[in-house]
Amino acid sequence: MSISKLAQNLKGSEIIKIAGEINELKKAGQNIANLTIGDFDSNIYPIPGELKSEIIDAYNHNQTNYPPADGVLDLRQTVSGFLKENFNLDYASNEILISGGSRPLIYATYLALVDPGDKVVYPAPSWNNNHYCDLTSADGVAVPTHPHNNFMPTAAELSEYIKGATLLALCSPLNPTGTMFSKENLEEICDLVIEENKSRKEGEKPLYLLYDQIYSQLTFGDHQHYNPVSLRPELRDYTVFIDGASKCFAATGVRVGWGFGPAHIIDNMKAIIGHMGAWAPKAEQVATSHFLKNSPAVQNYLAEFKQRIQQSLEALYKGIKHLKAQGFPVDAIEPMGAIYLTVKIDLKGKVTPDGKVLRSPSDINFYLIQEAKGALVPFSAFGTDEDLAWFRTSVGACSYEEIESLIPRIGEAIKKLS
Ligand SMILES: Cc1ncc(COP(=O)(O)O)c(C=O)c1O
């Protein structure tokens, strides 16, 4: 039976395929260190206790009818204060939109700004921009990035693709790499966008910037988060920010996201989200507002949460670097933010004990799942070339101990190859 071309052409998720393999092995009683999902095991990383109590309290106060289409006013006001306090950004409540997690906001940004056939530029690897381009019939241009720049895009790399584009989609700290823009790097990209917009004619659609900073509170050490509007205030008219509670409060299932930008764009996104009914549940909105106002609770939670995530990332990073020092064909990039570590495991052309040649990152990954009992995600799942031997590892669903014990197993698995 025929279905729409859009539905026929949507690509399945590579991560779901890997999850299928892991589940099969788990059913067979095996323990797999699952570094594949950009989520948390909520028994290892529960949401803040205060947020949980506020959610229960909101249900006890019958906050269960439709929320306003742009989100509960009290939450939008609280987010406005949160943006001022954390980023010194001035956004009024009518420039802020709440939705059921951040995904609907990204989709609504695409739908509000991009017409079919419009050019959308994004770095590869990055998270889901290829899918949002497919959903909006955009002409997606994936710009390859490189390990020597921590897989973050540079102005020089983007410049040849930006001419005539409608949207530049950026994210920092970046999913899947766990790396971030430096101030200079982001400033140069901002200047590129400003120059491009100066070259556009009156009435021509400008180049917009989608800036996803959902991991902005999860940064480590000296690494500081920057945003385009603080660096270049004239970009305020062209920038839509994506943010929310999912990642920084381990609250992926709570489903409260916020986007902010120029009021006329936010207004259109509100209509789109309204038609999809993609609002955040009202009780969760009320609770998130109360929680965000409780600064000591927010700060205490973040301090402990960040410390634990960083500890896991560092263990993985040091473990991989230790294997590298022993001569194994592996490498990793210093963790800077989010819950990810970028890892290279270059076993292409190696032969397994049962005679199978590992031809692709996907083969390497399935070999590691079987032999090292650890699962990663090849960067190709994030829009890069199929043969890049770099992987995303995500530490949110594994304990520190599981991660520590995985490293020697990777070494042993590699030793078995010829
Ligand atoms: C960069 C980035 N933006 C947005 C999202 C979506 O977040 P949410 O769960 O709030 O929809 C994710 C989730 O993985 C992400 O990694």
Side-chain angles (χ1 to χ4, degrees), residues 371-387:
E371 280 299 323
K373 309 288 177 245
L376 330 175
V377 184
F379 267 8
S380 58
F382 305 99
T384 70
D385 283 351
E386 291 290 327
D387 63 346

Side-chain angles (χ1 to χ4, degrees), residues 81-289:
F82 189 79
L83 299 178
K84 184 71 188 166
E85 194 180 317
N86 287 285
F87 311 107
N88 198 24
L89 285 169
D90 289 298
Y91 283 86
S93 53
N94 68 329
E95 296 171 304
I96 295 168
L97 178 61
I98 309 299
S99 88
S102 307
R103 278 159 223 244
L105 294 163
I106 302 176
Y107 188 26
T109 306
Y110 271 76
L111 286 170
L113 301 177
V114 178
D115 285 305
D118 277 3
K119 183 155 63 153
V120 174
V121 178
Y122 57 88
S126 67
W127 182 77
N128 272 7
N129 284 299
N130 48 350
H131 299 305
Y132 290 112
C133 284
D134 289 346
L135 282 172
T136 51
S137 303
D139 171 18
V141 180
V143 179
T145 55
H146 302 284
H148 56 265
N149 295 322
N150 304 326
F151 286 106
M152 290 303 288
T154 66
E157 286 161 353
L158 295 171
S159 62
E160 62 178 293
Y161 303 99
I162 230 76
K163 194 91 226 134
T166 296
L167 186 65
L168 172 62
L170 300 177
C171 173
S172 182
L174 180 64
N175 178 4
T177 60
T179 58
M180 295 169 62
F181 281 126
S182 68
K183 183 164 179 271
E184 297 69 33
N185 192 354
L186 186 56
E187 278 173 338
E188 283 170 17
I189 294 175
C190 289
D191 291 338
L192 188 71
V193 175
I194 292 168
E195 277 314 302
E196 171 63 16
N197 277 335
K198 276 191 195 146
S199 77
R200 304 251 166 132
K201 293 190 198 72
E202 186 76 25
E204 202 181 335
K205 215 193 249 184
L207 171 60
Y208 290 103
L209 196 52
L210 181 156
Y211 199 71
D212 185 338
Q213 57 169 30
I214 195 163
Y215 297 98
S216 61
Q217 304 290 320
L218 281 182
T219 61
F220 312 123
D222 294 338
H223 296 286
Q224 211 183 318
H225 174 73
Y226 296 98
N227 76 77
V229 172
S230 297
L231 294 176
R232 295 289 184 268
E234 63 259 61
L235 281 178
R236 195 184 192 282
D237 290 345
Y238 307 104
T239 305
V240 177
F241 285 85
I242 305 297
D243 210 329
S246 291
K247 305 294 177 156
C248 297
F249 303 117
T252 48
V254 174
R255 309 311 300 147
V256 179
W258 49 89
F260 47 102
H264 69 283
I265 300 175
I266 290 294
D267 246 17
N268 282 302
M269 289 168 59
K270 165 180 157 182
I272 291 164
I273 285 191
H275 289 310
M276 293 192 284
W279 307 299
K282 189 176 176 195
E284 274 78 348
Q285 294 195 41
V286 171
T288 302
S289 182

Side-chain angles (χ1 to χ4, degrees), residues 259-324:
F260 47 102
H264 69 283
I265 300 175
I266 290 294
D267 246 17
N268 282 302
M269 289 168 59
K270 165 180 157 182
I272 291 164
I273 285 191
H275 289 310
M276 293 192 284
W279 307 299
K282 189 176 176 195
E284 274 78 348
Q285 294 195 41
V286 171
T288 302
S289 182
H290 291 174
F291 172 66
L292 288 179
K293 276 188 240 185
N294 184 351
S295 272
V298 169
Q299 292 318 322
N300 287 342
Y301 182 83
L302 280 175
E304 193 200 325
F305 179 50
K306 266 168 62 161
Q307 189 262 333
R308 292 179 65 205
I309 292 286
Q310 184 178 10
Q311 191 187 31
S312 285
L313 287 169
E314 287 291 338
L316 198 53
Y317 176 63
K318 288 197 183 119
I320 297 288
K321 284 289 192 191
H322 182 65
L323 290 178
K324 183 184 177 189

